[in-house]
Amino acid sequence: MLTVAEDRLGVVVVEHEGGLRLPGTFLHQGESLADAVARALRDKAGITGRMPQQLHVFDAQGRDDRGWVISVAHMVALPAEAMARCRIIPAAGASGLDFDHDQIVARAVQQLRQDYAERPDPGHMLADEFTMLELHRLHKAVDPGTAQKDTFRRAMSKHVEDTGRLEGGTVGKPARLFRRVEG
């Protein structure tokens, strides 16, 4: 699970026996993979109603000291508010995690950057209506190499529509609100 909090890309981890690892679970007898993923999200992070995308199968021998364990890694990007119960660490500093979870985080960050490269907010980490500044900050957190504001605005303009409304409750000139154009 990835999120952006305080303008930084973060990853959810859980503490186990003094180490940090990604939340996960073993598949139960008769359980589908989708059900196991939903159970892990619900039980370990309090997240319901979102289904992560399958990321990659990690199957190297020796990746887990409990035996040969195959991990079908999944990824989901969520708003930080949805992860209030979770421990979030900066994705850039996610090293030294148990097993090969550093590799899983690196793969997830790479995938998220690809997902956000040309689309405004495929993970819906922002509210339904947002300012262009909020969108730019989100993209900069996901990928620090994001283009400068003017270039970014031009690239995103075909993927968002102006709501005709202005941001309320701000000091100074209110910013225009936009929403994603799906499809």
Side-chain angles (χ1 to χ4, degrees):
M1 290 178 283
L2 298 167
T3 192
V4 170
E6 299 175 15
D7 291 334
R8 288 189 311 184
L9 184 60
V11 61
V12 172
V13 294
V14 294
E15 192 166 343
H16 184 76
E17 298 178 4
L20 294 176
R21 61 177 66 169
L22 298 172
T25 191
F26 285 100
L27 194 60
H28 292 167
Q29 183 75 29
E31 183 178 42
S32 71
L33 181 58
D35 289 343
V37 170
R39 178 173 49 82
L41 280 175
R42 180 188 67 242
D43 295 352
K44 299 200 175 177
I47 307 289
T48 59
R50 292 292 297 267
M51 190 59 192
Q53 71 181 49
Q54 187 171 317
L55 180 64
H56 186 74
V57 175
F58 292 83
D59 63 351
Q61 296 273 348
R63 61 178 295 278
D64 192 317
D65 57 7
R66 297 169 289 191
W68 187 37
V69 176
I70 296 172
S71 288
V72 181
H74 288 72
M75 181 192 85
V76 65
L78 295 167
E81 304 80 49
M83 297 194 226
R85 279 183 38 185
C86 303
R87 179 171 179 186
I88 300 170
I89 63 170
S95 62
L97 300 177
D98 291 346
F99 313 118
D100 58 354
H101 290 191
D102 296 4
Q103 293 174 359
I104 296 172
V105 170
R107 184 89 173 229
V109 168
Q110 177 185 21
Q111 181 63 52
L112 188 70
R113 287 180 177 161
Q114 288 175 358
D115 292 349
Y116 274 73
E118 294 182 15
R119 295 178 16 217
D121 184 20
H124 294 263
M125 287 193 273
L126 294 175
D128 289 339
E129 294 184 353
F130 48 84
T131 67
M132 196 57 74
L133 179 59
E134 289 170 330
L135 184 62
H136 188 252
R137 283 182 178 155
L138 173 66
H139 275 254
K140 288 290 275 186
V142 168
D143 185 357
T146 295
Q148 295 298 321
K149 289 178 188 176
D150 289 343
T151 303
F152 176 80
R153 178 183 293 274
R154 282 191 299 277
M156 287 296 132
S157 65
K158 62 187 168 213
H159 302 289
V160 298
E161 64 183 6
D162 193 328
T163 65
R165 297 176 353 100
L166 298 175
E167 179 181 38
T170 61
V171 176
K173 183 179 176 184
R176 293 189 336 226
L177 291 170
F178 295 87
R179 70 175 139 250
R180 295 167 208 84
V181 175
E182 304 295 334

